[in-house]
């Protein structure tokens, strides 16, 4: 099987370059095929949600086989060749058939995949209005009156997305009769941000090294690049930023651009555009100019030329992602220019080529005497409306930094005249790295469904980023990737669910976490309800478990210094806004950061009534209590417990929830392959141990302030605080 698919895949790319298959393909692993099921003894997780396991329902299998044995599809472009090879893999796996492909002609009762302009008969079944709704990436899957199944779109990429959706429907064993799906993505840019360095270390990467084998590029095109593009296309991700936001200007030199071009060629059939990070000082670093001042004509000229050069390598280059004047990165403020002046200068360089600039709002400075969580809003709100049309401001979901729980960022809803996109972190820098099972969709959903009240009730964050609130034309969602060279891509098998969920929610920010988990489990493990139901529940609860054992009740930024692995509520000294003390401010009376109108007034950055709700300790949701309020240890919580007891009980609950996850998982052994079962089981052991580590460290430490005993039901630590304080810094991935 492997060899046959190699040939197929490679034929797609033979047009533009010579490809070599250096790594095994999807579908590896010991397989034992029977007619009705595909049982895999050892699965290493490489196949992701594209395992294409055999359909188990006999009657559906028959219907599918009948339906898909003949497919009209003219593979006249690299994208349509990709469609064809995907169908061959998928239908071999799911139905054990090799369909007959017909280049032209409309067949009633068969399957037709094509653009209406190529297959005029499709127009009988699809209206112009419907096609208008689809834009460049949407699709229609429809069973027509004459019982043919059509997949149509305005572009080849739309067809590819449509076919992936069709395959997804079969993977979930849903009926095709009367199927009628019309879908278009709700955001334009759905993009992964790789924080990958040129030496292949991945900043905050916990799944091995960078996928991009710069040393062997452009000659060697690993099969993994293509499988990466397939996986992204299958969930509608249409862009990838190859390099770290803490940027290295070398990526903009010809030696690297040639390599970037090879990746772009490999990804192009799958609709995946390549973007790069731009180091703001590149005109100095590479161009030997004395300054990088955005208003200096020489600097503008340098970027114009550089961009022109990039487009000679990558004609459909997407544009730049920029981190400027943040955490030591150079930027326009080095020359007393604003973020808008910096962004617009780059935007003018890429505009003639159709490129965009994603300018990050993650800016803060220890020299600014202001609550760090307020600084981005203070910088960017006054610049609203000043950015060029091809600039999009990229805002992290919360105002601090990807914590297990944060309130939504006050810039959502507040930027009315500038394009605005979301940045989520898929890699679990603050949620247990790739050893903790934490399903992030509930975190994404909580933020997307938060009500900004920017234009009254119901103006959710989702509406502020899909353009429906303020009518922005350029919209998007970025996710900091959790992918690396680990055989299973994400380190933790359940980390794959976070990549999957990110893509699904970028396509449709209104999707529910539960539905996404259900889809993912069925495609990744098994459709057996006795597995799907408990594992869905386990996943849905896992993020709250993590919040509980790490940062309950609005605590934040109490992780270890530098590598951020494990607890560090005692971290002090050095730059204050990188310590834990700056954020929890515990003393013998109270704990928490007063961000109300009597404190830093961060609450004032929100619209009413959100501002008032957060401002008042009686109405502030308890999950954000210590984020916004300074609270005495004996404060009475809604449950009747004191704050101290409540905090301790939350920590305990986090640990117990992980133990329950272990119990759930132990029952799952008979449903799936041994390899993934055992691997997840071992990882859950680590998670339990580290949940206890977090609980004990935080409670022992905070107890030195509260001076209160642990309430009943909370386990005492066997080890003293000194033990935890002394846990040595050991090498941690993602940090160096
Ligand atoms: C922080 C990470 C740091 C990133 C930064 C960013 O610790 O490595 O460079 O975010 O988003 O959370 O730029």
């Amino acid at each position: 099987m492997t060899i046959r698919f190699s040939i197929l895949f490679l034929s797609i790319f033979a047009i533009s370059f010579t490809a070599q298959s250096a790594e095994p393909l999807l579908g590896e692993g010991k397989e034992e095929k029977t007619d009705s099921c595909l049982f895999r003894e050892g699965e290493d997780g490489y196949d992701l949600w594209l395992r294409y396991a055999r359909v188990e329902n006999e009657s559906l299998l028959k219907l599918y086989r009948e339906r898909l044995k003949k497919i009209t599809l003219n593979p006249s472009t690299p994208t349509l060749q990709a469609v064809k090879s995907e169908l061959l893999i998928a239908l071999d796996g799911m139905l054990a058939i090799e369909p007959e492909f017909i280049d032209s002609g409309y067949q009633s009762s068969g399957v037709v995949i094509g653009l209406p302009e190529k297959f005029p008969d499709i127009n009988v079944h699809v209206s112009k209005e419907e096609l208008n709704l689809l834009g460049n990436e949407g699709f229609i899957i429809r069973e027509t009156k004459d019982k043919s199944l059509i997949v149509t779109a305005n572009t080849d990429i739309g067809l590819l997305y449509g076919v992936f959706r069709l395959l997804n429907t079969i993977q979930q064993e849903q009926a095709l009769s009367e199927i009628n799906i019309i879908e278009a993505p709700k955001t334009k840019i759905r993009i992964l941000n790789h924080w990958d360095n040129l030496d292949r270390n991945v900043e905050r990467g916990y799944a091995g090294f960078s996928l991009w084998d710069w040393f062997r590029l452009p000659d060697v095109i690993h099969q993994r690049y293509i499988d990466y593009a397939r996986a992204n296309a299958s969930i509608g991700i249409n862009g990838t930023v190859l390099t770290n936001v803490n940027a290295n200007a070398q990526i903009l030199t010809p030696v690297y651009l040639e390599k970037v071009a090879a990746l772009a060629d490999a990804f192009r059939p799958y609709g995946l555009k390549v973007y790069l990070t731009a180091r703001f000082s590149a005109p100095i670093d590479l161009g030997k100019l004395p300054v990088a001042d955005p208003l200096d004509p020489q600097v503008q000229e340098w970027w114009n030329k550089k961009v022109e050069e990039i487009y000679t390598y990558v004609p459909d280059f997407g544009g730049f992602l920029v981190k400027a004047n943040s955490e030591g990165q150079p930027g326009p403020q080095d020359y007393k220019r604003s973020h808008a002046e910096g962004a617009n200068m780059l935007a003018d360089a890429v505009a003639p080529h159709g490129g965009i600039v994603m300018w990050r709002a993650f800016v803060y400075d220890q020299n600014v005497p202001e609550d760090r969580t307020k600084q981005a809003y203070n910088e960017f709100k006054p610049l609203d409306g000043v950015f060029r049309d091809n600039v999009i401001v990229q805002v992290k979901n919360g105002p601090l930094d990807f914590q297990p729980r944060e309130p939504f960022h006050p810039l959502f809803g507040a930027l009315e005249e500038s394009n605005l996109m979301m940045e989520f972190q898929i890699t679990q820098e603050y949620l247990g790295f790739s050893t903790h099972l934490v399903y992030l969709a509930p975190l994404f959903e909580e933020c997307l469904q938060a009500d900004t009240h920017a234009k009254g009730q119901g103006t959710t964050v989702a509406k502020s980023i899909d353009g429906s609130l303020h009518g922005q034309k350029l919209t998007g969602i970025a996710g900091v990737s959790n992918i690396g060279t680990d055989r299973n891509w994400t380190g933790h098998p359940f980390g794959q669910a976070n990549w999957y969920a990110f893509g699904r929610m970028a396509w449709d920010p209104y999707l529910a976490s539960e539905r996404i988990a259900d889809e993912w489990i069925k495609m990744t493990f098994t459709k057996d309800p006795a597995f799907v139901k408990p594992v869905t529940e386990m996943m849905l609860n896992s993020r709250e478990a993590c919040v509980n054992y790490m940062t309950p009740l609005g605590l934040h930024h109490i992780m270890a210094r530098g590598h951020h692995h494990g607890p560090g509520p005692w971290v002090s000294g050095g730059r204050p806004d990188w310590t834990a003390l700056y954020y929890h401010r515990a003393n013998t009376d109270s704990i928490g950061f007063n961000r109300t109108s009597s404190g830093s007034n961060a609450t004032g950055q929100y619209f009413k009534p959100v501002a008032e709700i957060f401002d008042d300790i009686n109405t502030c949701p308890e999950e954000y209590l210590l984020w916004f309020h300074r609270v005495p240890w004996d404060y009475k919580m809604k449950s009747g417990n004191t704050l101290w007891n409540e905090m301790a009980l939350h920590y305990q609950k986090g640990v117990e929830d992980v133990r329950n996850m272990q119990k759930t998982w132990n029952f799952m052994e008979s449903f799936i392959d041994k390899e993934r079962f055992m691997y997840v089981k071992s990882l859950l052991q680590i998670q339990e141990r580290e949940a206890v580590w977090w609980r004990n460290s935080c409670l022992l430490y905070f107890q030195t302030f509260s001076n209160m005993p642990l309430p009943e039901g909370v386990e005492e630590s066997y080890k003293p605080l000194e033990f935890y304080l002394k846990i040595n810094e050991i090498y941690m991935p993602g940090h160096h």
Side-chain angles (χ1 to χ4, degrees), residues 206 469 539 559 573 596 680 702:
Y206 315 108
L469 180 59
M539 285 170 73
M559 67 288 166
T596 69
V680 171
F702 288 132

Side-chain angles (χ1 to χ4, degrees), residues 78-136:
T79 296
L80 293 176
Q81 286 169 33
V83 168
K84 185 175 172 185
S85 60
E86 197 67 33
L87 282 164
L88 280 168
I89 301 169
L91 300 183
D92 179 53
M94 295 192 289
L95 312 181
I97 60 167
E98 187 172 331
E100 183 191 336
F101 283 94
I102 310 162
D103 277 2
S104 60
Y106 183 86
Q107 16 148 9
S108 56
S109 82
V111 178
V112 182
I113 300 167
L115 307 178
E117 68 205 47
K118 301 270 169 59
F119 296 94
D121 286 331
I122 286 179
N123 290 310
V124 178
H125 306 286
V126 172
S127 71
K128 283 259 166 323
E129 292 71 39
E130 286 176 323
L131 289 169
N132 284 343
L133 290 177
L134 302 183
N136 287 333

Side-chain angles (χ1 to χ4, degrees), residues 48 112 150 169 199 209 282 303 306 323 352 386 429 436 468 498 519 543 582 595 653 702 726 734:
L48 297 162
V112 182
I150 52 174
T169 308
D199 64 3
F209 293 94
W303 279 110
K306 180 49 72 186
K323 172 176 178 179
V386 185
E429 177 179 358
H436 292 207
S468 56
N498 295 333
E519 288 174 9
R543 186 276 187 131
Y582 175 97
R595 295 196 167 101
K653 178 157 183 358
F702 288 132
K726 272 195 241 143

Side-chain angles (χ1 to χ4, degrees), residues 566-584:
W570 44 78
V571 169
S572 64
R575 203 179 147 157
D577 56 354
W578 285 354
T579 66
L581 263 53
Y582 175 97
Y583 297 97
H584 66 66

Side-chain angles (χ1 to χ4, degrees), residues 25-322:
L25 290 163
L26 295 188
E28 258 240 331
K30 276 184 224 157
E31 293 175 0
E32 206 182 280
K33 276 189 193 178
T34 68
D35 224 26
S36 60
C37 72
L38 179 68
F39 176 70
R40 296 170 185 223
E41 280 176 4
E43 286 199 50
D44 55 21
Y46 183 82
D47 295 0
L48 297 162
W49 49 89
L50 300 176
R51 289 167 65 247
Y52 296 129
R54 184 69 39 81
V55 168
E56 281 161 15
N57 179 316
E58 282 295 334
S59 50
L60 268 177
L61 181 65
K62 245 176 105 191
L63 288 172
Y64 290 147
R65 279 179 173 160
E66 194 51 37
R67 167 74 79 176
L68 286 139
K69 64 181 188 221
K70 242 185 180 181
I71 300 175
T72 306
L73 166 75
N74 184 359
S76 52
T77 64
T79 296
L80 293 176
Q81 286 169 33
V83 168
K84 185 175 172 185
S85 60
E86 197 67 33
L87 282 164
L88 280 168
I89 301 169
L91 300 183
D92 179 53
M94 295 192 289
L95 312 181
I97 60 167
E98 187 172 331
E100 183 191 336
F101 283 94
I102 310 162
D103 277 2
S104 60
Y106 183 86
Q107 16 148 9
S108 56
S109 82
V111 178
V112 182
I113 300 167
L115 307 178
E117 68 205 47
K118 301 270 169 59
F119 296 94
D121 286 331
I122 286 179
N123 290 310
V124 178
H125 306 286
V126 172
S127 71
K128 283 259 166 323
E129 292 71 39
E130 286 176 323
L131 289 169
N132 284 343
L133 290 177
L134 302 183
N136 287 333
E137 296 177 303
F139 56 80
I140 297 176
I141 307 175
R142 175 170 293 164
E143 185 185 64
T144 62
K145 288 207 184 75
D146 59 3
K147 300 288 171 218
S148 62
L149 185 79
I150 52 174
V151 180
T152 193
N154 293 319
T155 62
D156 287 355
I157 294 300
L159 293 177
L160 176 72
Y161 289 157
V163 166
F164 269 119
R165 180 57 54 84
L166 176 66
L167 295 175
N168 176 303
T169 308
I170 301 173
Q171 278 171 293
Q172 294 184 62
E173 301 195 12
Q174 290 161 355
L176 295 180
S177 59
E178 293 177 25
I179 190 169
N180 188 11
I181 302 176
I182 305 189
E183 252 192 62
K186 295 200 167 67
T187 62
K188 286 220 165 87
I189 304 159
R190 305 175 301 279
I191 191 164
L192 289 179
N193 288 185
H194 286 268
W195 286 358
D196 294 15
N197 296 322
L198 301 185
D199 64 3
R200 297 192 78 179
N201 269 294
V202 181
E203 181 154 337
R204 314 310 180 182
Y206 315 108
F209 293 94
S210 170
L211 291 186
W212 324 133
D213 186 359
W214 297 114
F215 176 57
R216 295 185 185 85
L217 280 164
D219 303 278
V220 177
I221 299 300
H222 292 301
Q223 181 61 41
R224 207 180 245 249
Y225 299 149
I226 290 142
D227 292 334
Y228 165 84
R230 291 175 55 221
N232 281 319
S234 75
I235 47 177
I237 291 175
N238 65 1
T240 177
V241 184
L242 299 177
T243 47
N244 193 353
V245 284
N246 296 320
N248 183 337
Q250 287 303 315
I251 192 68
L252 304 176
T253 58
V255 174
Y256 277 98
L257 289 175
E258 210 188 335
K259 298 168 191 282
V260 170
L263 288 175
D265 290 343
F267 299 160
R268 190 168 295 111
Y270 290 92
L272 193 65
K273 255 191 193 185
V274 160
Y275 299 72
L276 295 173
T277 46
R279 186 165 171 85
F280 205 77
S281 58
I284 306 173
D285 307 336
L286 304 179
K288 305 284 170 246
L289 293 188
V291 291
D293 179 354
L295 298 194
D296 184 325
Q298 267 185 294
V299 171
Q300 178 77 65
E301 189 48 28
W302 187 87
W303 279 110
N304 291 350
K305 289 242 165 68
K306 180 49 72 186
V307 166
E308 244 167 57
E309 188 187 3
I310 296 173
Y311 278 90
T312 62
Y313 287 93
V314 185
D316 54 355
F317 176 62
F320 293 126
L321 169 65
V322 187

Side-chain angles (χ1 to χ4, degrees), residues 187 412 420-422 448 461-467 475-477 509:
T187 62
F412 294 115
L420 176 74
M421 70 192 283
M422 167 71 74
L448 290 165
V461 170
K463 289 186 179 161
S464 83
I465 57 161
D466 72 2
T475 57
I477 304 196

